[in-house]
Amino acid sequence: MKTDILVVGAGPAGLGAAIEAASCGADVCIVDENLRAGGQLYKQIHKFFGSKNHYAGQRGFQIADALVRRTEELHVPLLLDTRALGLMDSGDVAVLRDGKAEAVTAKKVILAVGAKENMLTFPGWTMPGVMTAGAAQTFSNVHGVLVGKKIVMIGSGNVGLIVSYQLMQGGAEISAVVEAAPEITGYTVHKNKILRAGVPVYVSHTVAEARGSGHVEEAVIMEVDEHFQCIPGTEKTIEADTILFAVGLNPRTELASMFRCEMTSEGALGGVLPIHDEFMRTSNPRVYVCGDETGVEEANSALDEGRLAGLHAAASLGFENESSRERIKEVQNSLMELRSGKYAAKRLACKERIIRKGAMYYA
């Protein structure tokens, strides 16, 4: 198979990239290892806020549907259940489809593979009933299955708060939200929902142990000091059949490494990630990156980064006009606005450092 641009990942970043590149006239193909397009969006049932360009007022799965419809209108092939394996010696991209490996020849590759959830280890962490918040959200919002009735959520960022509230809507009891930081870390709008519902919140605490006979029956939590070390004698036992983790994400960098993209590290964006310039180009001029792979932010930022990568990748192949040049500026300005709030100061500083490093490859 041959294409101008291969997009790996059909989340908001990948779909945004494909839509913009195809709108410019480039031949685009998307591959995604999942059975359904949309990435994290398809399990998001809450309404998004922001601007019209970011589908404000619509729920995540509705945004995913709208983006997929647009790719269909542009006749972009969307190959699901298809995994990108890596770079071949020939320069082609190896993909696994229908149980067979095949080569894709692409002039440009846009990696939009997202991030993976973190876990904590402690006595009992492998017991049935311990899982990530994302897994619980998939069970409840996609398959209609509650993972438990009495749940302890570890982590009070937006994911922990949103998933807790959604599980409550589904009929579960949130026995506690546990946060190692000295205060709730998620947005006020999400925090207030949890507090109004009367959910106990334990800040400066972490989970120390899961107890039970064959499955979780209790969660033991402990206070932590300013260095996040457990303080002896502060144990509290909470009845629970499920312990969920919403303790951050790490960018998925395996494919970027295979494509010989240079890496850097930014803690506020999730750790190790590929360097990119202001157009999302990596140190490998053939490869672009976008979305959570370039630093864990929000769906709106991922969508815009994908748009930017798609526009510039198409332009680099000659699919450019005055309208697309203006569109690049518009998307860059949108990203700056998304990173201008008080919650985004650290992320903005990280992004500026990354972009400065990326610019050195194209000076």
Side-chain angles (χ1 to χ4, degrees), residues 216-253:
V216 173
E217 296 173 4
E218 293 179 341
V220 179
I221 65 173
M222 295 180 67
E223 289 185 41
V224 296
D225 59 23
E226 64 272 21
H227 303 294
F228 301 107
Q229 299 298 309
C230 290
I231 301 173
T234 62
E235 294 87 349
K236 300 178 182 68
T237 300
I238 301 173
E239 183 182 353
D241 58 22
T242 307
I243 300 173
L244 300 181
F245 286 93
V247 291
L249 304 167
N250 287 132
R252 294 180 62 184
T253 61

Side-chain angles (χ1 to χ4, degrees), residues 29-30 40 65 95 113 115 127 139 162 185 271 342:
C29 178
I30 310 172
Q40 297 300 310
D65 288 344
V95 302
V113 297
M127 192 180 299
F139 272 112
I162 289 171
T185 59
K342 65 177 182 178

Side-chain angles (χ1 to χ4, degrees), residues 178-197:
V178 180
E179 171 57 55
E183 60 184 4
I184 295 175
T185 59
Y187 289 171
T188 302
V189 63
H190 304 311
K191 175 180 73 174
N192 288 343
K193 289 180 180 180
I194 293 299
L195 295 179
R196 284 197 298 267

Side-chain angles (χ1 to χ4, degrees), residues 10 13 44-45 61 71 80 102 119 166 204 224 308 334 341 357:
Q44 307 272 344
I45 62 174
F61 65 90
T71 64
L80 299 175
E102 59 183 274
M119 278 288 290
Q166 291 173 354
S204 296
V224 296
L308 183 56
S334 176
K357 292 177 183 178

Side-chain angles (χ1 to χ4, degrees), residues 250-278:
N250 287 132
R252 294 180 62 184
T253 61
E254 297 86 355
L255 282 176
S257 295
M258 290 182 188
F259 279 86
R260 304 182 183 93
C261 301
E262 295 294 328
M263 300 288 167
T264 188
S265 180
E266 292 288 352
L269 291 177
V272 176
L273 45 84
I275 294 170
H276 64 81
D277 71 354
E278 62 178 326

Side-chain angles (χ1 to χ4, degrees), residues 117 131-134 136-137 147 150-168 173-180 194 199-202 205-207 219 221 238 240 242-247:
E117 292 184 276
M131 67 182 72
T132 65
Q137 191 179 40
V147 295
K150 295 179 71 66
I151 297 170
V152 171
M153 177 68 71
I154 310 300
S156 71
N158 290 331
V159 171
L161 298 177
I162 289 171
V163 174
S164 292
Y165 190 72
Q166 291 173 354
L167 292 172
M168 291 170 63
E173 175 188 344
I174 305 300
S175 301
V177 171
V178 180
E179 171 57 55
I194 293 299
V199 175
V201 177
Y202 296 90
H205 279 73
T206 191
V207 62
I221 65 173
I238 301 173
T242 307
I243 300 173
L244 300 181
F245 286 93
V247 291

